[in-house]
Amino acid sequence: MSTHSAAQLIGGRSHQCDATATYTHQERRAYALLDGIGSTEEVQTWTRTAARRLARAAARAGALEGLRQIHAARAAELAPEGWYAQYMPTAVAVVAVAEPGKPLEVAWCGDARAYLLPETGSHLERLTTDHNMRQVLIDMELEPGPYARNRVTSYLGDTSPNPPLGSVRAPNDG
């Protein structure tokens, strides 16, 4: 049986802009987590709705295709806003899809992370790679500055051409 959990820490922010959602379609269950970019009521509300949409899309179409659908829909909403789009709600996201007898599918954008803890009690395994400037600099074998992790290179609604979306399959013991 697959289990999941999420923990939230608001820190010094005024609004909790993280959101989680699950959705089951037939025997396929999706688990979505979004980390809203910003700290406003507008970001909080949008992120909660987007998490539900992502879970539903991923349960129906698979992790990567569901993420692509929600990403494209948000990018289409933001494109007409031009430069003002940078002030509209966005989020980094990770979604996992579990289906009996099939590998776990995980897809993400930004620096939201997914980990796998096998039932055997072995070590926690990170499944995702951050899409942020820190990882870009590390990949280039350069030393990242202290705030490089704060600049994401992919997020829901990114209107740049071909923003990075990641996907991976992992063993599914459930």
Side-chain angles (χ1 to χ4, degrees):
M1 173 199 264
S2 297
T3 59
H4 72 286
S5 66
Q8 297 179 329
L9 176 62
I10 192 169
R13 295 180 177 255
S14 62
H15 293 79
Q16 177 54 269
C17 295
D18 298 345
T20 61
T22 60
Y23 189 88
T24 303
H25 177 71
Q26 298 173 348
E27 291 189 13
R28 186 187 287 171
R29 176 166 283 180
Y31 307 88
L33 178 137
L34 274 67
D35 181 356
I37 299 173
S39 184
T40 65
E41 187 174 340
E42 184 181 21
V43 172
Q44 180 184 57
T45 300
W46 178 82
T47 303
R48 289 175 178 172
T49 300
R52 291 189 299 271
R53 288 179 181 158
L54 177 55
R56 187 173 48 248
R60 293 176 183 273
L64 183 57
E65 184 56 31
L67 182 65
R68 279 188 179 131
Q69 290 173 11
I70 300 306
H71 181 278
R74 186 59 177 162
E77 292 170 356
L78 295 179
E81 300 297 330
W83 65 268
Y84 187 71
Q86 67 183 324
Y87 300 107
M88 306 288 286
T90 56
V92 298
V94 62
V95 61
V97 174
E99 187 173 359
K102 295 189 177 179
L104 181 70
E105 298 176 37
V106 178
W108 71 96
C109 63
D111 57 2
R113 294 180 178 177
Y115 295 86
L116 179 67
L117 179 59
E119 288 186 27
T120 60
S122 60
H123 296 289
L124 194 64
E125 178 185 349
R126 184 169 153 193
L127 299 175
T128 58
T129 303
D130 290 344
H131 295 154
N132 61 21
M133 190 51 68
R134 180 180 186 280
Q135 189 62 53
V136 168
L137 293 171
I138 288 171
D139 291 347
M140 294 171 57
E141 298 182 3
L142 298 172
E143 184 68 30
Y147 301 104
R149 69 178 184 82
N150 294 340
R151 180 151 180 251
V152 295
T153 56
S154 180
Y155 55 89
L156 288 179
D158 184 352
T159 57
S160 64
N162 303 313
L165 300 178
S167 68
V168 67
R169 292 183 183 267
N172 181 4
D173 296 332

